[in-house]
Amino acid sequence: MTKRISWAELVPDGYQAVLGLEKYTSAKVDPTVLKLVKIRASMTNGCAYCIDMHTEQALKRGETARRLTGLAAWYESTFYDERERAALALTDAVTTLGEHGVPDDVWDDAVKHWGEEGTADLLLAIATINVWNRMMVACRVPA
């Protein structure tokens, strides 16, 4: 696989705009949950670059390999607390946006565990990792 372009070099203002969202969400969302969300969305989107980067960072922060590999089937796992599960369910729903969008039960559970403002911040974090994933996959940025 050959890298197509360096979008950060070609459109630095666009790159900085996405980086601004990244900085905002990193300051607002619990760092453990944020890494889980980033890895889960990246798995769903098939972004090897982001899976590699965020998994390595999570391990350095003390996350366990068991919980990271368990993200592939988080919904059947007991490794995650209710707050994490709500964030992961929202991640799946937003990342795969079906015909009817985000189901009410997924949204309501997120608000129950994160509050409205926390859910809005989490939604921005999910949207941001989806932007990164799409740019890296489209540009064929290798892991």
Side-chain angles (χ1 to χ4, degrees), residues 19-67:
L19 195 57
L21 282 171
E22 182 68 34
K23 289 177 182 177
Y24 174 85
T25 59
S26 292
K28 295 290 186 175
V29 179
D30 173 89
T32 299
V33 173
L34 185 58
K35 284 297 176 203
L36 296 176
V37 162
K38 287 179 177 184
I39 296 164
R40 177 61 185 171
S42 299
M43 287 174 167
T44 301
N45 289 324
C47 184
Y49 179 88
C50 292
I51 293 168
D52 180 61
M53 177 176 59
H54 295 299
T55 299
E56 184 177 333
Q57 290 171 348
L59 289 168
K60 286 180 181 175
R61 290 185 53 88
E63 188 58 83
T64 66
R66 187 177 195 199
R67 278 174 38 100

Short mmCIF file of all heavy atoms in Angstrom, two decimals, residues 19-67:
data_model
loop_
_atom_site.label_atom_id
_atom_site.label_comp_id
_atom_site.label_asym_id
_atom_site.label_seq_id
_atom_site.Cartn_x
_atom_site.Cartn_y
_atom_site.Cartn_z
N LEU A 19 -7.27 19.19 14.17
CA LEU A 19 -6.44 19.14 15.37
C LEU A 19 -7.05 19.96 16.50
O LEU A 19 -6.97 19.58 17.67
CB LEU A 19 -5.03 19.63 15.04
CG LEU A 19 -3.95 19.32 16.05
CD1 LEU A 19 -3.83 17.83 16.34
CD2 LEU A 19 -2.61 19.88 15.57
N GLY A 20 -7.70 21.06 16.15
CA GLY A 20 -8.40 21.86 17.16
C GLY A 20 -9.51 21.08 17.83
O GLY A 20 -9.68 21.14 19.07
N LEU A 21 -10.28 20.32 17.06
CA LEU A 21 -11.31 19.45 17.63
C LEU A 21 -10.67 18.39 18.53
O LEU A 21 -11.19 18.07 19.60
CB LEU A 21 -12.11 18.76 16.53
CG LEU A 21 -13.17 19.59 15.83
CD1 LEU A 21 -13.71 18.83 14.62
CD2 LEU A 21 -14.29 19.94 16.78
N GLU A 22 -9.55 17.85 18.07
CA GLU A 22 -8.83 16.83 18.85
C GLU A 22 -8.40 17.38 20.20
O GLU A 22 -8.57 16.74 21.24
CB GLU A 22 -7.60 16.36 18.05
CG GLU A 22 -6.81 15.29 18.74
CD GLU A 22 -7.55 13.97 18.82
OE1 GLU A 22 -8.30 13.63 17.90
OE2 GLU A 22 -7.37 13.28 19.85
N LYS A 23 -7.86 18.57 20.21
CA LYS A 23 -7.42 19.19 21.47
C LYS A 23 -8.60 19.46 22.40
O LYS A 23 -8.51 19.23 23.60
CB LYS A 23 -6.65 20.48 21.18
CG LYS A 23 -5.29 20.22 20.56
CD LYS A 23 -4.58 21.51 20.21
CE LYS A 23 -3.25 21.22 19.53
NZ LYS A 23 -2.56 22.45 19.10
N TYR A 24 -9.70 19.95 21.83
CA TYR A 24 -10.89 20.21 22.63
C TYR A 24 -11.39 18.93 23.29
O TYR A 24 -11.61 18.89 24.50
CB TYR A 24 -12.00 20.84 21.77
CG TYR A 24 -13.29 20.99 22.54
CD1 TYR A 24 -13.50 22.11 23.34
CD2 TYR A 24 -14.27 20.01 22.52
CE1 TYR A 24 -14.65 22.25 24.09
CE2 TYR A 24 -15.43 20.13 23.26
CZ TYR A 24 -15.63 21.25 24.04
OH TYR A 24 -16.77 21.36 24.79
N THR A 25 -11.59 17.89 22.49
CA THR A 25 -12.16 16.66 23.04
C THR A 25 -11.21 15.97 24.01
O THR A 25 -11.65 15.38 24.98
CB THR A 25 -12.60 15.69 21.93
OG1 THR A 25 -11.48 15.35 21.11
CG2 THR A 25 -13.70 16.30 21.07
N SER A 26 -9.92 16.09 23.77
CA SER A 26 -8.94 15.50 24.70
C SER A 26 -9.00 16.17 26.07
O SER A 26 -8.72 15.53 27.08
CB SER A 26 -7.53 15.62 24.12
OG SER A 26 -7.40 14.79 22.99
N ALA A 27 -9.38 17.43 26.09
CA ALA A 27 -9.49 18.16 27.36
C ALA A 27 -10.83 17.90 28.05
O ALA A 27 -10.95 18.15 29.26
CB ALA A 27 -9.31 19.66 27.11
N LYS A 28 -11.82 17.41 27.33
CA LYS A 28 -13.17 17.28 27.87
C LYS A 28 -13.61 15.87 28.21
O LYS A 28 -14.45 15.68 29.09
CB LYS A 28 -14.18 17.88 26.88
CG LYS A 28 -14.03 19.36 26.67
CD LYS A 28 -14.44 20.11 27.90
CE LYS A 28 -14.44 21.60 27.69
NZ LYS A 28 -14.95 22.33 28.85
N VAL A 29 -13.08 14.87 27.51
CA VAL A 29 -13.54 13.49 27.69
C VAL A 29 -12.52 12.71 28.49
O VAL A 29 -11.31 12.83 28.25
CB VAL A 29 -13.79 12.82 26.32
CG1 VAL A 29 -14.24 11.38 26.49
CG2 VAL A 29 -14.85 13.61 25.52
N ASP A 30 -13.00 11.91 29.44
CA ASP A 30 -12.14 11.07 30.26
C ASP A 30 -11.12 10.35 29.36
O ASP A 30 -11.51 9.72 28.38
CB ASP A 30 -13.01 10.05 30.99
CG ASP A 30 -12.21 9.02 31.72
OD1 ASP A 30 -11.87 9.26 32.89
OD2 ASP A 30 -11.91 7.97 31.12
N PRO A 31 -9.83 10.45 29.66
CA PRO A 31 -8.80 9.90 28.76
C PRO A 31 -8.90 8.38 28.54
O PRO A 31 -8.63 7.91 27.43
CB PRO A 31 -7.48 10.27 29.42
CG PRO A 31 -7.79 10.79 30.77
CD PRO A 31 -9.25 11.12 30.81
N THR A 32 -9.30 7.64 29.53
CA THR A 32 -9.45 6.19 29.35
C THR A 32 -10.58 5.89 28.38
O THR A 32 -10.43 5.10 27.44
CB THR A 32 -9.71 5.50 30.70
OG1 THR A 32 -8.59 5.73 31.55
CG2 THR A 32 -9.93 4.00 30.53
N VAL A 33 -11.71 6.53 28.58
CA VAL A 33 -12.86 6.32 27.70
C VAL A 33 -12.55 6.83 26.30
O VAL A 33 -12.91 6.20 25.30
CB VAL A 33 -14.12 6.99 28.28
CG1 VAL A 33 -15.28 6.94 27.30
CG2 VAL A 33 -14.50 6.34 29.61
N LEU A 34 -11.87 7.96 26.22
CA LEU A 34 -11.53 8.52 24.91
C LEU A 34 -10.69 7.55 24.09
O LEU A 34 -10.94 7.36 22.90
CB LEU A 34 -10.80 9.85 25.08
CG LEU A 34 -10.48 10.62 23.81
CD1 LEU A 34 -11.74 10.93 23.01
CD2 LEU A 34 -9.73 11.90 24.16
N LYS A 35 -9.73 6.89 24.72
CA LYS A 35 -8.92 5.91 24.00
C LYS A 35 -9.76 4.72 23.54
O LYS A 35 -9.62 4.24 22.42
CB LYS A 35 -7.73 5.43 24.84
CG LYS A 35 -6.61 6.42 24.94
CD LYS A 35 -6.02 6.70 23.57
CE LYS A 35 -4.96 7.77 23.65
NZ LYS A 35 -4.76 8.44 22.38
N LEU A 36 -10.65 4.25 24.40
CA LEU A 36 -11.53 3.14 24.02
C LEU A 36 -12.38 3.52 22.81
O LEU A 36 -12.53 2.74 21.87
CB LEU A 36 -12.41 2.71 25.19
CG LEU A 36 -11.72 2.14 26.42
CD1 LEU A 36 -12.73 1.86 27.53
CD2 LEU A 36 -10.91 0.90 26.09
N VAL A 37 -12.93 4.71 22.84
CA VAL A 37 -13.77 5.21 21.75
C VAL A 37 -12.96 5.31 20.47
O VAL A 37 -13.41 4.88 19.40
CB VAL A 37 -14.38 6.57 22.15
CG1 VAL A 37 -14.89 7.35 20.94
CG2 VAL A 37 -15.48 6.39 23.18
N LYS A 38 -11.76 5.86 20.56
CA LYS A 38 -10.92 6.02 19.37
C LYS A 38 -10.55 4.67 18.76
O LYS A 38 -10.58 4.50 17.54
CB LYS A 38 -9.65 6.81 19.70
CG LYS A 38 -9.91 8.28 19.94
CD LYS A 38 -8.62 8.99 20.30
CE LYS A 38 -8.84 10.47 20.48
NZ LYS A 38 -7.58 11.19 20.72
N ILE A 39 -10.21 3.73 19.61
CA ILE A 39 -9.82 2.40 19.10
C ILE A 39 -11.02 1.69 18.51
O ILE A 39 -10.94 1.09 17.44
CB ILE A 39 -9.12 1.58 20.21
CG1 ILE A 39 -7.81 2.24 20.61
CG2 ILE A 39 -8.89 0.14 19.74
CD1 ILE A 39 -7.23 1.75 21.93
N ARG A 40 -12.15 1.74 19.19
CA ARG A 40 -13.35 1.06 18.69
C ARG A 40 -13.78 1.63 17.33
O ARG A 40 -14.05 0.89 16.39
CB ARG A 40 -14.49 1.16 19.71
CG ARG A 40 -15.79 0.54 19.23
CD ARG A 40 -15.67 -0.93 18.95
NE ARG A 40 -16.92 -1.42 18.38
CZ ARG A 40 -17.09 -2.62 17.87
NH1 ARG A 40 -16.10 -3.49 17.88
NH2 ARG A 40 -18.25 -2.98 17.38
N ALA A 41 -13.84 2.94 17.21
CA ALA A 41 -14.22 3.55 15.93
C ALA A 41 -13.21 3.20 14.85
O ALA A 41 -13.60 2.89 13.71
CB ALA A 41 -14.34 5.07 16.08
N SER A 42 -11.94 3.21 15.20
CA SER A 42 -10.90 2.88 14.23
C SER A 42 -10.98 1.43 13.78
O SER A 42 -10.72 1.11 12.61
CB SER A 42 -9.52 3.18 14.82
OG SER A 42 -9.41 4.57 15.12
N MET A 43 -11.36 0.53 14.69
CA MET A 43 -11.59 -0.87 14.32
C MET A 43 -12.73 -0.96 13.32
O MET A 43 -12.64 -1.65 12.30
CB MET A 43 -11.92 -1.72 15.55
CG MET A 43 -10.79 -1.99 16.46
SD MET A 43 -11.43 -2.86 17.93
CE MET A 43 -9.90 -3.44 18.66
N THR A 44 -13.81 -0.29 13.61
CA THR A 44 -14.99 -0.31 12.76
C THR A 44 -14.67 0.25 11.37
O THR A 44 -15.13 -0.28 10.36
CB THR A 44 -16.14 0.49 13.40
OG1 THR A 44 -16.43 -0.08 14.68
CG2 THR A 44 -17.39 0.49 12.54
N ASN A 45 -13.85 1.30 11.33
CA ASN A 45 -13.51 1.96 10.08
C ASN A 45 -12.31 1.31 9.36
O ASN A 45 -11.97 1.72 8.25
CB ASN A 45 -13.21 3.44 10.32
CG ASN A 45 -14.45 4.21 10.67
OD1 ASN A 45 -15.53 3.95 10.16
ND2 ASN A 45 -14.31 5.18 11.56
N GLY A 46 -11.66 0.35 9.99
CA GLY A 46 -10.52 -0.30 9.36
C GLY A 46 -9.31 0.60 9.21
O GLY A 46 -8.59 0.51 8.23
N CYS A 47 -9.08 1.48 10.19
CA CYS A 47 -7.96 2.41 10.13
C CYS A 47 -6.78 1.86 10.93
O CYS A 47 -6.69 2.07 12.14
CB CYS A 47 -8.37 3.78 10.65
SG CYS A 47 -7.04 5.00 10.48
N ALA A 48 -5.88 1.16 10.24
CA ALA A 48 -4.73 0.54 10.90
C ALA A 48 -3.84 1.57 11.57
O ALA A 48 -3.31 1.33 12.67
CB ALA A 48 -3.93 -0.27 9.88
N TYR A 49 -3.67 2.72 10.94
CA TYR A 49 -2.82 3.77 11.52
C TYR A 49 -3.34 4.18 12.89
O TYR A 49 -2.58 4.23 13.87
CB TYR A 49 -2.78 4.99 10.57
CG TYR A 49 -1.94 6.12 11.11
CD1 TYR A 49 -0.58 6.18 10.86
CD2 TYR A 49 -2.52 7.13 11.88
CE1 TYR A 49 0.19 7.21 11.36
CE2 TYR A 49 -1.76 8.16 12.38
CZ TYR A 49 -0.40 8.21 12.12
OH TYR A 49 0.36 9.24 12.63
N CYS A 50 -4.63 4.48 12.98
CA CYS A 50 -5.21 4.95 14.25
C CYS A 50 -5.30 3.83 15.28
O CYS A 50 -5.09 4.07 16.47
CB CYS A 50 -6.57 5.60 14.01
SG CYS A 50 -6.46 7.17 13.10
N ILE A 51 -5.61 2.60 14.84
CA ILE A 51 -5.64 1.47 15.78
C ILE A 51 -4.27 1.32 16.42
O ILE A 51 -4.15 1.22 17.65
CB ILE A 51 -6.05 0.16 15.08
CG1 ILE A 51 -7.50 0.22 14.62
CG2 ILE A 51 -5.83 -1.03 16.02
CD1 ILE A 51 -7.88 -0.91 13.67
N ASP A 52 -3.23 1.33 15.61
CA ASP A 52 -1.87 1.18 16.12
C ASP A 52 -1.50 2.31 17.08
O ASP A 52 -1.03 2.06 18.19
CB ASP A 52 -0.89 1.13 14.94
CG ASP A 52 0.54 0.96 15.39
OD1 ASP A 52 0.84 -0.07 16.03
OD2 ASP A 52 1.37 1.85 15.10
N MET A 53 -1.71 3.53 16.67
CA MET A 53 -1.33 4.69 17.48
C MET A 53 -2.08 4.71 18.81
O MET A 53 -1.47 4.85 19.88
CB MET A 53 -1.60 5.99 16.73
CG MET A 53 -1.29 7.23 17.57
SD MET A 53 -1.48 8.79 16.68
CE MET A 53 -3.19 8.73 16.19
N HIS A 54 -3.40 4.57 18.77
CA HIS A 54 -4.18 4.71 20.00
C HIS A 54 -4.03 3.49 20.92
O HIS A 54 -4.08 3.64 22.15
CB HIS A 54 -5.65 4.98 19.67
CG HIS A 54 -5.81 6.31 18.99
ND1 HIS A 54 -5.46 7.50 19.59
CD2 HIS A 54 -6.24 6.62 17.75
CE1 HIS A 54 -5.68 8.49 18.76
NE2 HIS A 54 -6.15 7.99 17.63
N THR A 55 -3.81 2.32 20.36
CA THR A 55 -3.55 1.15 21.19
C THR A 55 -2.23 1.29 21.92
O THR A 55 -2.14 1.04 23.13
CB THR A 55 -3.56 -0.13 20.33
OG1 THR A 55 -4.85 -0.26 19.73
CG2 THR A 55 -3.27 -1.37 21.16
N GLU A 56 -1.20 1.73 21.21
CA GLU A 56 0.11 1.94 21.84
C GLU A 56 0.01 2.98 22.95
O GLU A 56 0.54 2.79 24.04
CB GLU A 56 1.12 2.39 20.78
CG GLU A 56 2.52 2.53 21.33
CD GLU A 56 3.54 2.91 20.27
OE1 GLU A 56 3.33 2.58 19.08
OE2 GLU A 56 4.55 3.53 20.63
N GLN A 57 -0.68 4.08 22.69
CA GLN A 57 -0.85 5.13 23.69
C GLN A 57 -1.63 4.62 24.90
O GLN A 57 -1.28 4.93 26.05
CB GLN A 57 -1.56 6.34 23.09
CG GLN A 57 -0.72 7.10 22.09
CD GLN A 57 -1.52 8.16 21.34
OE1 GLN A 57 -2.76 8.21 21.38
NE2 GLN A 57 -0.80 9.02 20.62
N ALA A 58 -2.68 3.85 24.65
CA ALA A 58 -3.49 3.32 25.76
C ALA A 58 -2.66 2.37 26.63
O ALA A 58 -2.76 2.41 27.87
CB ALA A 58 -4.72 2.61 25.21
N LEU A 59 -1.87 1.52 26.01
CA LEU A 59 -1.01 0.61 26.78
C LEU A 59 -0.01 1.38 27.63
O LEU A 59 0.22 1.03 28.79
CB LEU A 59 -0.29 -0.36 25.84
CG LEU A 59 -1.17 -1.43 25.20
CD1 LEU A 59 -0.41 -2.14 24.07
CD2 LEU A 59 -1.67 -2.43 26.24
N LYS A 60 0.55 2.44 27.08
CA LYS A 60 1.49 3.27 27.85
C LYS A 60 0.82 3.95 29.03
O LYS A 60 1.45 4.22 30.04
CB LYS A 60 2.15 4.31 26.94
CG LYS A 60 3.19 3.72 26.02
CD LYS A 60 3.81 4.79 25.14
CE LYS A 60 4.83 4.17 24.20
NZ LYS A 60 5.37 5.15 23.25
N ARG A 61 -0.49 4.24 28.90
CA ARG A 61 -1.25 4.88 29.98
C ARG A 61 -1.75 3.87 31.00
O ARG A 61 -2.45 4.21 31.94
CB ARG A 61 -2.44 5.64 29.41
CG ARG A 61 -2.08 6.89 28.63
CD ARG A 61 -3.32 7.64 28.21
NE ARG A 61 -4.21 7.94 29.30
CZ ARG A 61 -4.14 9.03 30.07
NH1 ARG A 61 -3.21 9.91 29.86
NH2 ARG A 61 -5.00 9.22 31.04
N GLY A 62 -1.43 2.58 30.78
CA GLY A 62 -1.81 1.57 31.76
C GLY A 62 -3.01 0.73 31.41
O GLY A 62 -3.45 -0.11 32.21
N GLU A 63 -3.58 0.93 30.24
CA GLU A 63 -4.71 0.11 29.82
C GLU A 63 -4.23 -1.32 29.60
O GLU A 63 -3.07 -1.54 29.27
CB GLU A 63 -5.31 0.66 28.52
CG GLU A 63 -6.60 0.01 28.09
CD GLU A 63 -7.70 0.07 29.12
OE1 GLU A 63 -8.40 1.09 29.19
OE2 GLU A 63 -7.87 -0.93 29.86
N THR A 64 -5.12 -2.28 29.80
CA THR A 64 -4.72 -3.68 29.65
C THR A 64 -4.95 -4.17 28.22
O THR A 64 -5.88 -3.73 27.54
CB THR A 64 -5.51 -4.59 30.61
OG1 THR A 64 -6.90 -4.59 30.22
CG2 THR A 64 -5.36 -4.13 32.06
N ALA A 65 -4.12 -5.10 27.82
CA ALA A 65 -4.27 -5.71 26.49
C ALA A 65 -5.61 -6.42 26.40
O ALA A 65 -6.26 -6.43 25.35
CB ALA A 65 -3.12 -6.67 26.22
N ARG A 66 -6.05 -6.98 27.50
CA ARG A 66 -7.31 -7.71 27.52
C ARG A 66 -8.49 -6.80 27.17
O ARG A 66 -9.35 -7.16 26.38
CB ARG A 66 -7.50 -8.33 28.91
CG ARG A 66 -8.67 -9.24 29.02
CD ARG A 66 -8.72 -9.85 30.40
NE ARG A 66 -9.61 -10.98 30.41
CZ ARG A 66 -10.13 -11.49 31.51
NH1 ARG A 66 -9.81 -10.98 32.69
NH2 ARG A 66 -10.94 -12.51 31.45
N ARG A 67 -8.52 -5.62 27.77
CA ARG A 67 -9.60 -4.68 27.47
C ARG A 67 -9.50 -4.13 26.06
O ARG A 67 -10.51 -3.91 25.39
CB ARG A 67 -9.61 -3.54 28.49
CG ARG A 67 -10.30 -3.92 29.78
CD ARG A 67 -10.20 -2.87 30.87
NE ARG A 67 -10.28 -1.49 30.51
CZ ARG A 67 -11.38 -0.71 30.62
NH1 ARG A 67 -12.51 -1.23 31.06
NH2 ARG A 67 -11.33 0.55 30.29
#
